[in-house]
């Protein structure tokens, strides 16, 4: 079976370094936050070409705290996209604010910035674009609207570690950049983790308080904070992995280029990688009408694939009630019926990419004849 991701393969390549880092923490007696977390924050902030970062216990917590630090609360509105992982919208609702949706644009499946102006009201506080699959959203246009209306921009960069837009790194363009270190993300912890990046020292100060019970100093609780601390162990393991991230990203990009070349001409276009961006391919997705049949075809031949995501968040009753109907965000809805993610990870063998591409070609050409 060729899996969608192979976390054991990554571990094998780093066994000794990870074991040494883990042992160092176990022996140190520092477990919740600590020196490894602090060092990791500095290293990850520089990786993002930003000046500050606050590590937390998940990407969802990162989004939640960035929204709170931006002053988002009950009665406010935050504009985001329906075509994302549920956490983006959940984090907005945790603050008591309402998520308002802009559809995605068909080429990249990221936020359609031309819809923003029509969505802004007196209650709008922030814009939360998602760098879906590892490609950054149209940041120039989003920032322009945000500046014109005095809105905060929070990047959901949970899938976009090291991605770039016109040479600028994900997480460094908005007021806040939120990342996840869920194990299968481009940079994954051996457990849960997340981080908020910001170059505003006041934001950093507030984020630090919010993740640790709103304490200004020990037992002086001045904000309604949370226990969102990162483990020192995860900090140490993430530092080891961060040193390999660029190498892994280039391997992901090479596999994606190989898929692109081998699948060219089959009409599977999109989402498109645009030339002004560095796509880091958290996921390699193709689009086709009979996606579910291809998924079965691949599964029957030993290849795992997955749909990211089958239900746009505006159609999830648990988060959006009856606020939206089918057809409200047609680009997102169509994408949800057509996308399919193929296996992609740094350690994937080039022969496996060839084999998967051959199966996809076989399927598409065979279906075409019927
Ligand atoms: C993974 C992910 C999150 C949430 O991160 P967790 O670490 O799982 O909490 C948020 N947004 C997007 C787009 C994600 O892919």
């Amino acid at each position: 079976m060729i899996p969608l991701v192979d976390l054991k393969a990554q571990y094998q390549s780093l066994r000794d370094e990870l074991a040494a880092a883990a042992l160092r923490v176990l022996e140190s007696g520092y477990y919740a936050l600590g020196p490894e977390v602090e060092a990791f924050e500095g290293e990850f902030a520089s990786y993002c070409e930003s000046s500050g970062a606050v590590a937390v216990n998940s990407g969802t917590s990162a989004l939640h705290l960035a929204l709170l630090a931006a002053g988002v609360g009950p009665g406010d509105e935050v504009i985001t996209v329906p075509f994302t992982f549920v956490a983006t919208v959940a984090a907005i609702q945790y603050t008591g604010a309402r998520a308002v949706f802009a559809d995605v644009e068909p080429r990249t499946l990221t936020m359609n910035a031309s819809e923003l102006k029509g969505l802004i009201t007196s209650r709008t506080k922030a814009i939360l674009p998602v760098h879906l699959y590892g490609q950054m959203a149209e940041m120039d246009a989003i920032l322009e609207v945000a500046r014109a209306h005095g809105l905060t921009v929070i990047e959901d960069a949970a899938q976009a570690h090291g991605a770039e837009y016109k040479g600028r790194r994900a997480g460094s363009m908005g007021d806040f950049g939120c990342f996840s270190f869920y194990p299968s993300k481009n940079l994954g912890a051996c457990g849960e983790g997340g981080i908020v990046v910001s170059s505003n020292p006041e934001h950093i100060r507030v984020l630090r308080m919010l993740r640790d019970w709103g304490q200004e100093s020990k037992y002086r609780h001045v904000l309604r904070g949370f226990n969102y601390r990162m483990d020192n162990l995860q900090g140490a393991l993430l530092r080891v992995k961060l040193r390999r991230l660029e190498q892994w990203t280039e391997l992901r990009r090479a596999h994606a280029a190989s898929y692109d070349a081998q699948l060219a001409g089959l009409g599977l276009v999109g989402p498109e990688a645009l030339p002004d961006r560095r796509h880091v391919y958290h996921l390699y997705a193709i689009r086709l009408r009979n996606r579910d049949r291809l998924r079965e075809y691949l599964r029957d031949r030993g290849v795992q694939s997955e749909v990211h995501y089958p239900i746009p968040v505006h159609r999830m009753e648990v988060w959006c009630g009856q606020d939206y109907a089918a057809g409200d965000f047609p680009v997102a809805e169509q994408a949800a019926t057509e996308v399919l993610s193929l296996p992609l990870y740094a350690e994937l063998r080039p022969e496996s990419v060839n084999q998967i591409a051959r199966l996809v070609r076989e399927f598409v050409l065979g279906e075409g004849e019927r």
Side-chain angles (χ1 to χ4, degrees):
M1 184 72 163
I2 303 176
L4 197 71
V5 291
D6 186 348
L7 300 178
K8 275 193 183 172
Q10 187 191 71
Y11 167 68
Q12 290 302 340
S13 74
L14 286 172
R15 261 182 80 104
D16 296 345
E17 282 172 79
L18 290 173
L23 193 63
R24 191 168 72 229
V25 172
L26 292 173
E27 307 244 322
S28 76
Y30 281 101
Y31 303 128
L33 296 178
E36 298 286 347
V37 171
E38 226 171 276
F40 175 66
E41 287 173 338
E43 290 161 11
F44 194 77
S46 341
Y47 179 78
C48 295
E49 291 166 4
S50 180
S51 60
V54 176
V56 293
N57 60 352
S58 75
T60 308
S61 301
L63 288 164
H64 186 194
L65 292 195
L67 287 156
L68 292 174
V72 172
D76 294 333
E77 291 175 356
V78 176
I79 304 173
T80 189
V81 288
F83 197 57
T84 181
F85 181 60
V86 66
T88 314
V89 175
I92 293 169
Q93 303 211 5
Y94 290 169
T95 68
R98 199 166 79 87
V100 170
F101 297 109
D103 205 347
V104 291
E105 54 102 13
R107 277 195 313 176
T108 63
L109 302 182
T110 61
M111 181 177 272
N112 187 338
S114 70
E115 293 194 1
L116 290 172
K117 272 192 197 124
L119 296 170
I120 292 171
T121 71
S122 59
R123 288 189 288 272
T124 310
K125 266 273 172 58
I127 304 175
L128 206 173
V130 179
H131 303 326
L132 195 75
Y133 300 157
Q135 176 162 241
M136 288 178 70
E138 182 64 279
M139 289 304 289
D140 277 352
I142 292 167
L143 288 166
E144 191 183 309
V145 175
R147 300 294 174 249
H149 294 83
L151 305 175
T152 299
V153 173
I154 299 171
E155 298 173 57
D156 184 339
Q159 306 186 355
H161 317 67
E164 289 174 10
Y165 175 92
K166 300 183 181 170
R168 295 192 57 190
R169 281 262 155 116
S172 73
M173 294 190 76
D175 299 278
F176 299 89
C178 300
F179 295 82
S180 164
F181 304 122
Y182 183 75
S184 60
K185 297 289 160 83
N186 288 28
L187 178 62
C190 301
E192 305 276 350
I195 204 165
V196 187
V197 167
S198 170
S199 50
N200 178 327
E202 177 56 18
H203 288 158
I204 293 290
R205 194 181 70 84
V206 170
L207 290 164
R208 274 191 208 296
M209 289 199 281
L210 287 172
R211 83 165 158 195
D212 193 13
W213 290 118
Q215 297 177 93
E216 194 178 51
S217 56
K218 200 156 170 101
Y219 303 130
R220 296 186 61 87
H221 304 272
V222 297
L223 295 174
R224 288 192 166 214
F226 301 82
N227 172 2
Y228 281 176
R229 298 179 297 254
M230 176 180 274
D231 294 343
N232 204 30
L233 181 66
Q234 299 307 339
L237 300 173
L238 285 164
R239 291 181 73 196
V240 170
K241 293 192 178 193
L242 180 58
R243 296 200 283 270
R244 300 291 176 89
L245 183 55
E246 277 305 288
Q247 187 189 323
W248 291 335
T249 300
E250 285 310 316
L251 286 165
R252 283 178 181 275
R253 288 168 50 78
H255 294 324
S258 174
Y259 273 134
D260 278 348
Q262 297 187 64
L263 300 177
L266 293 179
L268 298 173
V269 282
E272 213 180 311
L274 299 186
D276 60 356
R277 301 172 209 190
R278 182 194 194 209
H279 194 324
V280 296
Y281 292 98
H282 171 57
L283 295 167
Y284 184 88
I286 56 174
R287 288 182 73 160
L288 72 168
R289 280 226 170 76
N290 33 18
R291 172 274 305 280
D292 295 324
R293 281 217 300 283
L294 173 58
R295 203 175 167 204
E296 275 171 42
Y297 186 86
L298 292 173
R299 188 194 56 214
D300 293 347
R301 286 156 186 79
V303 176
Q304 195 187 9
S305 60
E306 187 55 88
V307 175
H308 301 96
Y309 297 92
I311 303 166
V313 186
H314 71 281
R315 299 293 291 146
M316 293 183 189
E317 202 176 334
V318 68
W319 289 109
C320 294
Q322 308 285 342
D323 290 359
Y324 299 98
D328 283 353
F329 301 101
V331 182
E333 287 167 42
Q334 195 181 337
T337 67
E338 293 181 352
V339 289
L340 188 68
S341 305
L342 302 178
L344 186 68
Y345 46 93
E347 301 79 9
L348 184 62
R349 291 168 32 240
E351 309 86 81
S352 299
V353 176
N354 298 345
Q355 183 192 337
I356 297 160
R358 194 165 55 240
L359 289 170
V360 173
R361 284 190 72 86
E362 226 172 73
F363 172 84
V364 172
L365 297 173
E367 289 276 303
E369 280 157 19
R370 262 180 243 149

